[in-house]
Amino acid sequence: MQRWKIIIEYDGGPYVGWQRQDNGISVQGVLEKAIFDFSGEKVKIQASGRTDAGVHALAQVAHFDLEKDITGLKIREALNYHTKKHPIAIIEADAVNDEFNARFDAKMRYYRYRICDRRAKPALDIGRIWHIPRKLNVDAMHDAAQILTGKHDFTSFRAVQCQAKSPVRSLDSLNIARVGDEIHLTAKAKSFLHHQIRNFAGTLHLVGTGKWDKARVKLALDAKDRRQAGPTAPPHGLYLTKIEY
């Protein structure tokens, strides 16, 4: 039995999320079927974390065990062949030791949230970026974002249905920068709460429009009440960009 680590890129638009569910097609389900199709083995893949419906990944990491004697190159090529009808790509496949765990061994997770703040819609990026048809104040957004860095109780910024035992997390960095016609929110932490980054984006968007200032963001954080923070930004602007081990 060999444990394999794979790095996956996918467009989350067509899926109910990473996790296998009864109400639609999942990324996990597609990959597990692809593994069965080339190996004849039923396996369960474990990812570094579950992405929600509509959320994308540039470098999701997952692991699974396989009895078949095969190389990493052949696994990558076989998976890409059997997922060719899906917007899913295996970037790498490497043999790892039996102790490796894609979820629990992760030391840092990186996400990016993309916003397009021009008047015209993003014709080539529909479903991959949040379109806001007015210019946002990026400097004000970045300044307010710094209030959220560090160790806090993030109850105001997690989904009501979040299953994490504790709302306390340490946010290593949260930066907002303009990149052409886009605004990129980049976040770094060991772990995140359900909807945490999307709730950051929705709240900081209010700062960018001038409706909120950074003092209001601080009040929302201190309130420890989801109702006191901004709206949840749509999933299609969010990307899992890197997992550090």
mmCIF file of all heavy atoms in Angstrom, residues 84-134:
data_model
loop_
_atom_site.group_PDB
_atom_site.id
_atom_site.type_symbol
_atom_site.label_atom_id
_atom_site.label_comp_id
_atom_site.label_asym_id
_atom_site.label_seq_id
_atom_site.Cartn_x
_atom_site.Cartn_y
_atom_site.Cartn_z
ATOM 1 N N LYS A 84 -11.022 14.513 -17.751
ATOM 2 C CA LYS A 84 -10.890 15.468 -18.849
ATOM 3 C C LYS A 84 -12.181 16.205 -19.178
ATOM 4 O O LYS A 84 -12.149 17.287 -19.774
ATOM 5 C CB LYS A 84 -10.339 14.784 -20.099
ATOM 6 C CG LYS A 84 -11.202 13.669 -20.659
ATOM 7 C CD LYS A 84 -10.478 12.979 -21.815
ATOM 8 C CE LYS A 84 -11.276 11.797 -22.353
ATOM 9 N NZ LYS A 84 -10.554 11.108 -23.444
ATOM 10 N N LYS A 85 -13.321 15.674 -18.762
ATOM 11 C CA LYS A 85 -14.594 16.358 -18.997
ATOM 12 C C LYS A 85 -14.900 17.372 -17.899
ATOM 13 O O LYS A 85 -15.911 18.072 -17.962
ATOM 14 C CB LYS A 85 -15.736 15.340 -19.096
ATOM 15 C CG LYS A 85 -15.642 14.427 -20.319
ATOM 16 C CD LYS A 85 -16.822 13.473 -20.374
ATOM 17 C CE LYS A 85 -16.740 12.563 -21.604
ATOM 18 N NZ LYS A 85 -17.887 11.612 -21.650
ATOM 19 N N HIS A 86 -14.037 17.438 -16.898
ATOM 20 C CA HIS A 86 -14.248 18.321 -15.763
ATOM 21 C C HIS A 86 -13.175 19.409 -15.715
ATOM 22 O O HIS A 86 -12.035 19.174 -16.143
ATOM 23 C CB HIS A 86 -14.194 17.523 -14.459
ATOM 24 C CG HIS A 86 -15.319 16.548 -14.293
ATOM 25 N ND1 HIS A 86 -16.500 16.874 -13.661
ATOM 26 C CD2 HIS A 86 -15.442 15.249 -14.683
ATOM 27 C CE1 HIS A 86 -17.296 15.822 -13.670
ATOM 28 N NE2 HIS A 86 -16.695 14.823 -14.279
ATOM 29 N N PRO A 87 -13.488 20.588 -15.157
ATOM 30 C CA PRO A 87 -12.472 21.633 -14.984
ATOM 31 C C PRO A 87 -11.615 21.343 -13.753
ATOM 32 O O PRO A 87 -11.560 22.118 -12.797
ATOM 33 C CB PRO A 87 -13.304 22.909 -14.836
ATOM 34 C CG PRO A 87 -14.575 22.456 -14.201
ATOM 35 C CD PRO A 87 -14.838 21.091 -14.767
ATOM 36 N N ILE A 88 -10.956 20.185 -13.798
ATOM 37 C CA ILE A 88 -10.098 19.722 -12.715
ATOM 38 C C ILE A 88 -8.791 19.250 -13.336
ATOM 39 O O ILE A 88 -8.802 18.541 -14.341
ATOM 40 C CB ILE A 88 -10.742 18.547 -11.947
ATOM 41 C CG1 ILE A 88 -12.047 18.984 -11.270
ATOM 42 C CG2 ILE A 88 -9.777 17.965 -10.916
ATOM 43 C CD1 ILE A 88 -12.832 17.842 -10.636
ATOM 44 N N ALA A 89 -7.662 19.642 -12.734
ATOM 45 C CA ALA A 89 -6.362 19.212 -13.241
ATOM 46 C C ALA A 89 -5.471 18.790 -12.082
ATOM 47 O O ALA A 89 -5.419 19.461 -11.050
ATOM 48 C CB ALA A 89 -5.684 20.336 -14.015
ATOM 49 N N ILE A 90 -4.783 17.666 -12.266
ATOM 50 C CA ILE A 90 -3.790 17.215 -11.298
ATOM 51 C C ILE A 90 -2.452 17.783 -11.737
ATOM 52 O O ILE A 90 -1.949 17.461 -12.812
ATOM 53 C CB ILE A 90 -3.725 15.676 -11.223
ATOM 54 C CG1 ILE A 90 -5.123 15.090 -10.980
ATOM 55 C CG2 ILE A 90 -2.749 15.236 -10.141
ATOM 56 C CD1 ILE A 90 -5.832 15.618 -9.763
ATOM 57 N N ILE A 91 -1.870 18.628 -10.896
ATOM 58 C CA ILE A 91 -0.612 19.292 -11.237
ATOM 59 C C ILE A 91 0.576 18.402 -10.884
ATOM 60 O O ILE A 91 1.553 18.316 -11.625
ATOM 61 C CB ILE A 91 -0.494 20.639 -10.492
ATOM 62 C CG1 ILE A 91 -1.750 21.490 -10.717
ATOM 63 C CG2 ILE A 91 0.753 21.388 -10.940
ATOM 64 C CD1 ILE A 91 -2.054 21.787 -12.157
ATOM 65 N N GLU A 92 0.488 17.739 -9.726
ATOM 66 C CA GLU A 92 1.577 16.866 -9.274
ATOM 67 C C GLU A 92 0.994 15.647 -8.566
ATOM 68 O O GLU A 92 -0.092 15.720 -7.983
ATOM 69 C CB GLU A 92 2.515 17.591 -8.298
ATOM 70 C CG GLU A 92 3.302 18.734 -8.898
ATOM 71 C CD GLU A 92 4.216 19.392 -7.862
ATOM 72 O OE1 GLU A 92 4.557 18.738 -6.852
ATOM 73 O OE2 GLU A 92 4.579 20.558 -8.066
ATOM 74 N N ALA A 93 1.743 14.551 -8.603
ATOM 75 C CA ALA A 93 1.403 13.343 -7.839
ATOM 76 C C ALA A 93 2.707 12.750 -7.342
ATOM 77 O O ALA A 93 3.580 12.407 -8.141
ATOM 78 C CB ALA A 93 0.647 12.345 -8.702
ATOM 79 N N ASP A 94 2.855 12.652 -6.029
ATOM 80 C CA ASP A 94 4.119 12.190 -5.443
ATOM 81 C C ASP A 94 3.860 11.166 -4.343
ATOM 82 O O ASP A 94 2.916 11.300 -3.557
ATOM 83 C CB ASP A 94 4.889 13.372 -4.836
ATOM 84 C CG ASP A 94 5.289 14.394 -5.884
ATOM 85 O OD1 ASP A 94 6.095 14.039 -6.765
ATOM 86 O OD2 ASP A 94 4.793 15.536 -5.820
ATOM 87 N N ALA A 95 4.724 10.167 -4.275
ATOM 88 C CA ALA A 95 4.671 9.181 -3.201
ATOM 89 C C ALA A 95 5.143 9.838 -1.904
ATOM 90 O O ALA A 95 6.132 10.589 -1.897
ATOM 91 C CB ALA A 95 5.555 7.988 -3.542
ATOM 92 N N VAL A 96 4.439 9.575 -0.811
ATOM 93 C CA VAL A 96 4.804 10.116 0.500
ATOM 94 C C VAL A 96 4.751 8.982 1.521
ATOM 95 O O VAL A 96 4.238 7.898 1.242
ATOM 96 C CB VAL A 96 3.858 11.273 0.925
ATOM 97 C CG1 VAL A 96 4.069 12.512 0.055
ATOM 98 C CG2 VAL A 96 2.394 10.831 0.885
ATOM 99 N N ASN A 97 5.271 9.243 2.713
ATOM 100 C CA ASN A 97 5.236 8.200 3.736
ATOM 101 C C ASN A 97 3.831 8.040 4.306
ATOM 102 O O ASN A 97 2.987 8.919 4.161
ATOM 103 C CB ASN A 97 6.264 8.478 4.842
ATOM 104 C CG ASN A 97 5.945 9.740 5.626
ATOM 105 O OD1 ASN A 97 4.872 9.866 6.220
ATOM 106 N ND2 ASN A 97 6.877 10.676 5.663
ATOM 107 N N ASP A 98 3.623 6.927 4.986
ATOM 108 C CA ASP A 98 2.288 6.573 5.478
ATOM 109 C C ASP A 98 1.763 7.530 6.539
ATOM 110 O O ASP A 98 0.571 7.531 6.840
ATOM 111 C CB ASP A 98 2.290 5.151 6.052
ATOM 112 C CG ASP A 98 2.520 4.101 4.979
ATOM 113 O OD1 ASP A 98 2.381 4.437 3.791
ATOM 114 O OD2 ASP A 98 2.843 2.949 5.337
ATOM 115 N N GLU A 99 2.655 8.324 7.119
ATOM 116 C CA GLU A 99 2.254 9.244 8.180
ATOM 117 C C GLU A 99 1.735 10.576 7.642
ATOM 118 O O GLU A 99 1.122 11.352 8.379
ATOM 119 C CB GLU A 99 3.439 9.514 9.120
ATOM 120 C CG GLU A 99 4.016 8.264 9.775
ATOM 121 C CD GLU A 99 2.980 7.525 10.588
ATOM 122 O OE1 GLU A 99 2.253 8.188 11.348
ATOM 123 O OE2 GLU A 99 2.897 6.294 10.461
ATOM 124 N N PHE A 100 1.975 10.845 6.361
ATOM 125 C CA PHE A 100 1.567 12.144 5.805
ATOM 126 C C PHE A 100 0.050 12.281 5.808
ATOM 127 O O PHE A 100 -0.669 11.363 5.415
ATOM 128 C CB PHE A 100 2.081 12.308 4.377
ATOM 129 C CG PHE A 100 1.591 13.579 3.709
ATOM 130 C CD1 PHE A 100 2.174 14.795 3.990
ATOM 131 C CD2 PHE A 100 0.512 13.553 2.820
ATOM 132 C CE1 PHE A 100 1.715 15.966 3.398
ATOM 133 C CE2 PHE A 100 0.052 14.711 2.224
ATOM 134 C CZ PHE A 100 0.652 15.923 2.518
ATOM 135 N N ASN A 101 -0.422 13.441 6.242
ATOM 136 C CA ASN A 101 -1.858 13.729 6.251
ATOM 137 C C ASN A 101 -2.062 15.124 5.677
ATOM 138 O O ASN A 101 -1.562 16.111 6.224
ATOM 139 C CB ASN A 101 -2.413 13.652 7.670
ATOM 140 C CG ASN A 101 -3.925 13.765 7.713
ATOM 141 O OD1 ASN A 101 -4.481 14.825 7.467
ATOM 142 N ND2 ASN A 101 -4.591 12.658 8.031
ATOM 143 N N ALA A 102 -2.768 15.204 4.567
ATOM 144 C CA ALA A 102 -2.931 16.477 3.863
ATOM 145 C C ALA A 102 -3.581 17.546 4.724
ATOM 146 O O ALA A 102 -3.262 18.736 4.602
ATOM 147 C CB ALA A 102 -3.752 16.258 2.591
ATOM 148 N N ARG A 103 -4.478 17.131 5.605
ATOM 149 C CA ARG A 103 -5.172 18.099 6.459
ATOM 150 C C ARG A 103 -4.373 18.468 7.701
ATOM 151 O O ARG A 103 -4.108 19.643 7.969
ATOM 152 C CB ARG A 103 -6.535 17.538 6.857
ATOM 153 C CG ARG A 103 -7.321 18.476 7.776
ATOM 154 C CD ARG A 103 -8.631 17.850 8.217
ATOM 155 N NE ARG A 103 -9.337 18.708 9.167
ATOM 156 C CZ ARG A 103 -10.422 18.354 9.843
ATOM 157 N NH1 ARG A 103 -10.943 17.148 9.656
ATOM 158 N NH2 ARG A 103 -10.990 19.180 10.683
ATOM 159 N N PHE A 104 -3.987 17.457 8.459
ATOM 160 C CA PHE A 104 -3.414 17.719 9.780
ATOM 161 C C PHE A 104 -1.943 18.121 9.745
ATOM 162 O O PHE A 104 -1.440 18.686 10.722
ATOM 163 C CB PHE A 104 -3.622 16.505 10.684
ATOM 164 C CG PHE A 104 -5.068 16.225 10.955
ATOM 165 C CD1 PHE A 104 -5.674 15.058 10.493
ATOM 166 C CD2 PHE A 104 -5.855 17.129 11.659
ATOM 167 C CE1 PHE A 104 -7.012 14.804 10.731
ATOM 168 C CE2 PHE A 104 -7.204 16.886 11.899
ATOM 169 C CZ PHE A 104 -7.781 15.723 11.439
ATOM 170 N N ASP A 105 -1.242 17.838 8.657
ATOM 171 C CA ASP A 105 0.165 18.226 8.559
ATOM 172 C C ASP A 105 0.358 19.629 7.984
ATOM 173 O O ASP A 105 1.482 20.132 7.964
ATOM 174 C CB ASP A 105 0.944 17.222 7.697
ATOM 175 C CG ASP A 105 1.123 15.882 8.398
ATOM 176 O OD1 ASP A 105 0.836 15.816 9.608
ATOM 177 O OD2 ASP A 105 1.545 14.915 7.739
ATOM 178 N N ALA A 106 -0.714 20.250 7.523
ATOM 179 C CA ALA A 106 -0.603 21.585 6.928
ATOM 180 C C ALA A 106 -0.188 22.600 7.983
ATOM 181 O O ALA A 106 -0.794 22.688 9.049
ATOM 182 C CB ALA A 106 -1.926 21.990 6.288
ATOM 183 N N LYS A 107 0.858 23.366 7.689
ATOM 184 C CA LYS A 107 1.359 24.383 8.622
ATOM 185 C C LYS A 107 0.798 25.767 8.322
ATOM 186 O O LYS A 107 0.704 26.623 9.208
ATOM 187 C CB LYS A 107 2.883 24.422 8.575
ATOM 188 C CG LYS A 107 3.547 23.183 9.168
ATOM 189 C CD LYS A 107 5.052 23.333 9.165
ATOM 190 C CE LYS A 107 5.723 22.237 9.997
ATOM 191 N NZ LYS A 107 5.411 20.889 9.525
ATOM 192 N N MET A 108 0.434 26.009 7.072
ATOM 193 C CA MET A 108 -0.086 27.322 6.691
ATOM 194 C C MET A 108 -0.958 27.174 5.450
ATOM 195 O O MET A 108 -0.669 26.383 4.561
ATOM 196 C CB MET A 108 1.062 28.295 6.406
ATOM 197 C CG MET A 108 0.690 29.761 6.508
ATOM 198 S SD MET A 108 0.244 30.257 8.192
ATOM 199 C CE MET A 108 1.800 30.028 9.057
ATOM 200 N N ARG A 109 -2.042 27.957 5.432
ATOM 201 C CA ARG A 109 -2.940 27.980 4.288
ATOM 202 C C ARG A 109 -3.022 29.403 3.738
ATOM 203 O O ARG A 109 -3.069 30.362 4.511
ATOM 204 C CB ARG A 109 -4.333 27.469 4.692
ATOM 205 C CG ARG A 109 -4.356 25.991 5.052
ATOM 206 C CD ARG A 109 -5.672 25.571 5.690
ATOM 207 N NE ARG A 109 -5.790 24.124 5.819
ATOM 208 C CZ ARG A 109 -5.296 23.411 6.823
ATOM 209 N NH1 ARG A 109 -4.653 24.029 7.815
ATOM 210 N NH2 ARG A 109 -5.455 22.090 6.861
ATOM 211 N N TYR A 110 -3.074 29.522 2.415
ATOM 212 C CA TYR A 110 -3.111 30.815 1.750
ATOM 213 C C TYR A 110 -4.345 30.893 0.847
ATOM 214 O O TYR A 110 -4.623 29.957 0.091
ATOM 215 C CB TYR A 110 -1.871 31.017 0.872
ATOM 216 C CG TYR A 110 -0.558 31.024 1.618
ATOM 217 C CD1 TYR A 110 0.025 29.832 2.071
ATOM 218 C CD2 TYR A 110 0.125 32.228 1.866
ATOM 219 C CE1 TYR A 110 1.241 29.832 2.747
ATOM 220 C CE2 TYR A 110 1.339 32.232 2.535
ATOM 221 C CZ TYR A 110 1.890 31.038 2.975
ATOM 222 O OH TYR A 110 3.086 31.044 3.637
ATOM 223 N N TYR A 111 -5.040 32.014 0.922
ATOM 224 C CA TYR A 111 -6.204 32.240 0.071
ATOM 225 C C TYR A 111 -6.113 33.606 -0.591
ATOM 226 O O TYR A 111 -5.481 34.527 -0.063
ATOM 227 C CB TYR A 111 -7.505 32.207 0.895
ATOM 228 C CG TYR A 111 -7.998 30.821 1.242
ATOM 229 C CD1 TYR A 111 -7.554 30.174 2.387
ATOM 230 C CD2 TYR A 111 -8.934 30.172 0.430
ATOM 231 C CE1 TYR A 111 -8.019 28.904 2.718
ATOM 232 C CE2 TYR A 111 -9.402 28.910 0.766
ATOM 233 C CZ TYR A 111 -8.943 28.282 1.908
ATOM 234 O OH TYR A 111 -9.405 27.033 2.236
ATOM 235 N N ARG A 112 -6.772 33.718 -1.733
ATOM 236 C CA ARG A 112 -6.898 35.010 -2.418
ATOM 237 C C ARG A 112 -8.371 35.231 -2.766
ATOM 238 O O ARG A 112 -9.047 34.310 -3.241
ATOM 239 C CB ARG A 112 -6.068 35.034 -3.705
ATOM 240 C CG ARG A 112 -6.190 36.341 -4.501
ATOM 241 C CD ARG A 112 -5.441 36.241 -5.827
ATOM 242 N NE ARG A 112 -4.065 35.866 -5.613
ATOM 243 C CZ ARG A 112 -3.393 34.996 -6.366
ATOM 244 N NH1 ARG A 112 -3.999 34.401 -7.388
ATOM 245 N NH2 ARG A 112 -2.140 34.704 -6.101
ATOM 246 N N TYR A 113 -8.828 36.451 -2.532
ATOM 247 C CA TYR A 113 -10.175 36.825 -2.964
ATOM 248 C C TYR A 113 -10.040 37.922 -4.004
ATOM 249 O O TYR A 113 -9.392 38.947 -3.758
ATOM 250 C CB TYR A 113 -11.047 37.297 -1.795
ATOM 251 C CG TYR A 113 -12.505 37.305 -2.183
ATOM 252 C CD1 TYR A 113 -13.331 36.226 -1.896
ATOM 253 C CD2 TYR A 113 -13.044 38.365 -2.919
ATOM 254 C CE1 TYR A 113 -14.643 36.196 -2.310
ATOM 255 C CE2 TYR A 113 -14.355 38.339 -3.346
ATOM 256 C CZ TYR A 113 -15.156 37.255 -3.041
ATOM 257 O OH TYR A 113 -16.459 37.232 -3.487
ATOM 258 N N ARG A 114 -10.672 37.724 -5.176
ATOM 259 C CA ARG A 114 -10.555 38.666 -6.292
ATOM 260 C C ARG A 114 -11.829 39.498 -6.438
ATOM 261 O O ARG A 114 -12.936 38.964 -6.457
ATOM 262 C CB ARG A 114 -10.307 37.918 -7.601
ATOM 263 C CG ARG A 114 -9.018 37.132 -7.665
ATOM 264 C CD ARG A 114 -8.962 36.285 -8.924
ATOM 265 N NE ARG A 114 -8.989 37.109 -10.123
ATOM 266 C CZ ARG A 114 -9.381 36.660 -11.328
ATOM 267 N NH1 ARG A 114 -9.819 35.405 -11.467
ATOM 268 N NH2 ARG A 114 -9.372 37.467 -12.368
ATOM 269 N N ILE A 115 -11.619 40.806 -6.558
ATOM 270 C CA ILE A 115 -12.718 41.749 -6.799
ATOM 271 C C ILE A 115 -12.384 42.562 -8.040
ATOM 272 O O ILE A 115 -11.259 43.041 -8.196
ATOM 273 C CB ILE A 115 -12.904 42.706 -5.601
ATOM 274 C CG1 ILE A 115 -13.269 41.934 -4.332
ATOM 275 C CG2 ILE A 115 -13.968 43.765 -5.905
ATOM 276 C CD1 ILE A 115 -13.257 42.779 -3.068
ATOM 277 N N CYS A 116 -13.347 42.738 -8.913
ATOM 278 C CA CYS A 116 -13.207 43.621 -10.075
ATOM 279 C C CYS A 116 -14.077 44.843 -9.814
ATOM 280 O O CYS A 116 -15.299 44.733 -9.750
ATOM 281 C CB CYS A 116 -13.644 42.911 -11.356
ATOM 282 S SG CYS A 116 -13.626 43.978 -12.825
ATOM 283 N N ASP A 117 -13.440 46.016 -9.667
ATOM 284 C CA ASP A 117 -14.214 47.216 -9.316
ATOM 285 C C ASP A 117 -14.236 48.234 -10.450
ATOM 286 O O ASP A 117 -14.049 49.419 -10.248
ATOM 287 C CB ASP A 117 -13.678 47.861 -8.024
ATOM 288 C CG ASP A 117 -12.266 48.426 -8.178
ATOM 289 O OD1 ASP A 117 -11.505 47.939 -9.044
ATOM 290 O OD2 ASP A 117 -11.928 49.356 -7.420
ATOM 291 N N ARG A 118 -14.500 47.749 -11.644
ATOM 292 C CA ARG A 118 -14.684 48.655 -12.780
ATOM 293 C C ARG A 118 -16.153 48.646 -13.189
ATOM 294 O O ARG A 118 -16.909 47.754 -12.804
ATOM 295 C CB ARG A 118 -13.805 48.237 -13.954
ATOM 296 C CG ARG A 118 -14.252 46.960 -14.631
ATOM 297 C CD ARG A 118 -13.332 46.523 -15.758
ATOM 298 N NE ARG A 118 -13.940 45.437 -16.521
ATOM 299 C CZ ARG A 118 -13.293 44.689 -17.407
ATOM 300 N NH1 ARG A 118 -11.994 44.891 -17.612
ATOM 301 N NH2 ARG A 118 -13.913 43.728 -18.078
ATOM 302 N N ARG A 119 -16.540 49.630 -13.975
ATOM 303 C CA ARG A 119 -17.942 49.740 -14.392
ATOM 304 C C ARG A 119 -18.363 48.566 -15.285
ATOM 305 O O ARG A 119 -19.410 47.962 -15.092
ATOM 306 C CB ARG A 119 -18.168 51.065 -15.127
ATOM 307 C CG ARG A 119 -19.598 51.311 -15.567
ATOM 308 C CD ARG A 119 -20.517 51.495 -14.391
ATOM 309 N NE ARG A 119 -21.900 51.744 -14.788
ATOM 310 C CZ ARG A 119 -22.922 51.777 -13.956
ATOM 311 N NH1 ARG A 119 -22.712 51.571 -12.647
ATOM 312 N NH2 ARG A 119 -24.142 51.999 -14.393
ATOM 313 N N ALA A 120 -17.511 48.248 -16.270
ATOM 314 C CA ALA A 120 -17.843 47.173 -17.216
ATOM 315 C C ALA A 120 -17.665 45.813 -16.557
ATOM 316 O O ALA A 120 -16.752 45.602 -15.757
ATOM 317 C CB ALA A 120 -16.949 47.269 -18.449
ATOM 318 N N LYS A 121 -18.539 44.895 -16.914
ATOM 319 C CA LYS A 121 -18.441 43.549 -16.350
ATOM 320 C C LYS A 121 -17.181 42.834 -16.855
ATOM 321 O O LYS A 121 -16.693 43.140 -17.958
ATOM 322 C CB LYS A 121 -19.685 42.733 -16.717
ATOM 323 C CG LYS A 121 -19.809 42.438 -18.208
ATOM 324 C CD LYS A 121 -21.097 41.685 -18.495
ATOM 325 C CE LYS A 121 -21.214 41.396 -20.002
ATOM 326 N NZ LYS A 121 -22.486 40.714 -20.334
ATOM 327 N N PRO A 122 -16.648 41.885 -16.123
ATOM 328 C CA PRO A 122 -15.457 41.127 -16.536
ATOM 329 C C PRO A 122 -15.855 39.963 -17.446
ATOM 330 O O PRO A 122 -16.092 38.849 -16.978
ATOM 331 C CB PRO A 122 -14.879 40.642 -15.214
ATOM 332 C CG PRO A 122 -16.071 40.501 -14.327
ATOM 333 C CD PRO A 122 -17.051 41.567 -14.753
ATOM 334 N N ALA A 123 -15.922 40.202 -18.725
ATOM 335 C CA ALA A 123 -16.454 39.213 -19.669
ATOM 336 C C ALA A 123 -15.711 37.879 -19.629
ATOM 337 O O ALA A 123 -16.321 36.819 -19.783
ATOM 338 C CB ALA A 123 -16.416 39.781 -21.084
ATOM 339 N N LEU A 124 -14.394 37.907 -19.433
ATOM 340 C CA LEU A 124 -13.608 36.677 -19.459
ATOM 341 C C LEU A 124 -13.495 36.000 -18.094
ATOM 342 O O LEU A 124 -12.992 34.884 -17.993
ATOM 343 C CB LEU A 124 -12.200 36.965 -19.998
ATOM 344 C CG LEU A 124 -12.137 37.528 -21.417
ATOM 345 C CD1 LEU A 124 -10.695 37.764 -21.836
ATOM 346 C CD2 LEU A 124 -12.828 36.601 -22.413
ATOM 347 N N ASP A 125 -13.967 36.680 -17.064
ATOM 348 C CA ASP A 125 -13.827 36.133 -15.716
ATOM 349 C C ASP A 125 -15.158 35.978 -14.992
ATOM 350 O O ASP A 125 -15.191 35.901 -13.757
ATOM 351 C CB ASP A 125 -12.906 37.016 -14.871
ATOM 352 C CG ASP A 125 -11.440 36.641 -15.034
ATOM 353 O OD1 ASP A 125 -11.156 35.441 -15.197
ATOM 354 O OD2 ASP A 125 -10.583 37.543 -15.014
ATOM 355 N N ILE A 126 -16.234 35.904 -15.736
ATOM 356 C CA ILE A 126 -17.535 35.686 -15.105
ATOM 357 C C ILE A 126 -17.507 34.339 -14.373
ATOM 358 O O ILE A 126 -17.084 33.331 -14.922
ATOM 359 C CB ILE A 126 -18.665 35.700 -16.159
ATOM 360 C CG1 ILE A 126 -18.806 37.113 -16.760
ATOM 361 C CG2 ILE A 126 -19.981 35.249 -15.557
ATOM 362 C CD1 ILE A 126 -19.791 37.199 -17.907
ATOM 363 N N GLY A 127 -17.919 34.354 -13.128
ATOM 364 C CA GLY A 127 -17.887 33.146 -12.316
ATOM 365 C C GLY A 127 -16.563 32.904 -11.635
ATOM 366 O O GLY A 127 -16.395 31.905 -10.921
ATOM 367 N N ARG A 128 -15.614 33.847 -11.803
ATOM 368 C CA ARG A 128 -14.288 33.681 -11.194
ATOM 369 C C ARG A 128 -13.820 34.923 -10.452
ATOM 370 O O ARG A 128 -12.688 34.964 -9.969
ATOM 371 C CB ARG A 128 -13.263 33.301 -12.262
ATOM 372 C CG ARG A 128 -13.522 31.945 -12.897
ATOM 373 C CD ARG A 128 -12.421 31.565 -13.866
ATOM 374 N NE ARG A 128 -12.658 30.230 -14.403
ATOM 375 C CZ ARG A 128 -13.352 29.984 -15.502
ATOM 376 N NH1 ARG A 128 -13.897 30.979 -16.168
ATOM 377 N NH2 ARG A 128 -13.512 28.748 -15.929
ATOM 378 N N ILE A 129 -14.692 35.941 -10.359
ATOM 379 C CA ILE A 129 -14.323 37.177 -9.685
ATOM 380 C C ILE A 129 -15.601 37.883 -9.247
ATOM 381 O O ILE A 129 -16.645 37.744 -9.898
ATOM 382 C CB ILE A 129 -13.482 38.078 -10.639
ATOM 383 C CG1 ILE A 129 -12.764 39.191 -9.875
ATOM 384 C CG2 ILE A 129 -14.327 38.643 -11.781
ATOM 385 C CD1 ILE A 129 -11.707 39.903 -10.720
ATOM 386 N N TRP A 130 -15.543 38.622 -8.136
ATOM 387 C CA TRP A 130 -16.692 39.385 -7.663
ATOM 388 C C TRP A 130 -16.680 40.739 -8.346
ATOM 389 O O TRP A 130 -15.748 41.518 -8.179
ATOM 390 C CB TRP A 130 -16.622 39.547 -6.148
ATOM 391 C CG TRP A 130 -17.829 40.228 -5.528
ATOM 392 C CD1 TRP A 130 -19.053 40.411 -6.095
ATOM 393 C CD2 TRP A 130 -17.900 40.803 -4.223
ATOM 394 N NE1 TRP A 130 -19.889 41.063 -5.228
ATOM 395 C CE2 TRP A 130 -19.212 41.313 -4.063
ATOM 396 C CE3 TRP A 130 -16.987 40.929 -3.173
ATOM 397 C CZ2 TRP A 130 -19.625 41.956 -2.898
ATOM 398 C CZ3 TRP A 130 -17.405 41.567 -2.011
ATOM 399 C CH2 TRP A 130 -18.710 42.071 -1.874
ATOM 400 N N HIS A 131 -17.717 41.016 -9.118
ATOM 401 C CA HIS A 131 -17.798 42.282 -9.837
ATOM 402 C C HIS A 131 -18.565 43.318 -9.017
ATOM 403 O O HIS A 131 -19.719 43.095 -8.655
ATOM 404 C CB HIS A 131 -18.484 42.086 -11.191
ATOM 405 C CG HIS A 131 -18.628 43.347 -11.969
ATOM 406 N ND1 HIS A 131 -19.792 43.694 -12.647
ATOM 407 C CD2 HIS A 131 -17.766 44.388 -12.172
ATOM 408 C CE1 HIS A 131 -19.624 44.861 -13.231
ATOM 409 N NE2 HIS A 131 -18.418 45.302 -12.962
ATOM 410 N N ILE A 132 -17.905 44.428 -8.722
ATOM 411 C CA ILE A 132 -18.515 45.568 -8.049
ATOM 412 C C ILE A 132 -18.325 46.770 -8.974
ATOM 413 O O ILE A 132 -17.196 47.227 -9.174
ATOM 414 C CB ILE A 132 -17.859 45.835 -6.685
ATOM 415 C CG1 ILE A 132 -18.043 44.612 -5.779
ATOM 416 C CG2 ILE A 132 -18.443 47.083 -6.028
ATOM 417 C CD1 ILE A 132 -17.215 44.658 -4.518
ATOM 418 N N PRO A 133 -19.377 47.295 -9.606
ATOM 419 C CA PRO A 133 -19.232 48.305 -10.664
ATOM 420 C C PRO A 133 -18.979 49.730 -10.166
ATOM 421 O O PRO A 133 -19.573 50.687 -10.645
ATOM 422 C CB PRO A 133 -20.559 48.192 -11.416
ATOM 423 C CG PRO A 133 -21.533 47.771 -10.382
ATOM 424 C CD PRO A 133 -20.775 46.859 -9.455
ATOM 425 N N ARG A 134 -18.093 49.868 -9.180
ATOM 426 C CA ARG A 134 -17.684 51.183 -8.711
ATOM 427 C C ARG A 134 -16.308 51.063 -8.070
ATOM 428 O O ARG A 134 -15.953 50.027 -7.515
ATOM 429 C CB ARG A 134 -18.679 51.753 -7.692
ATOM 430 C CG ARG A 134 -18.884 50.906 -6.467
ATOM 431 C CD ARG A 134 -19.813 51.548 -5.457
ATOM 432 N NE ARG A 134 -19.248 52.752 -4.861
ATOM 433 C CZ ARG A 134 -19.820 53.440 -3.885
ATOM 434 N NH1 ARG A 134 -21.008 53.048 -3.416
ATOM 435 N NH2 ARG A 134 -19.269 54.513 -3.393
#
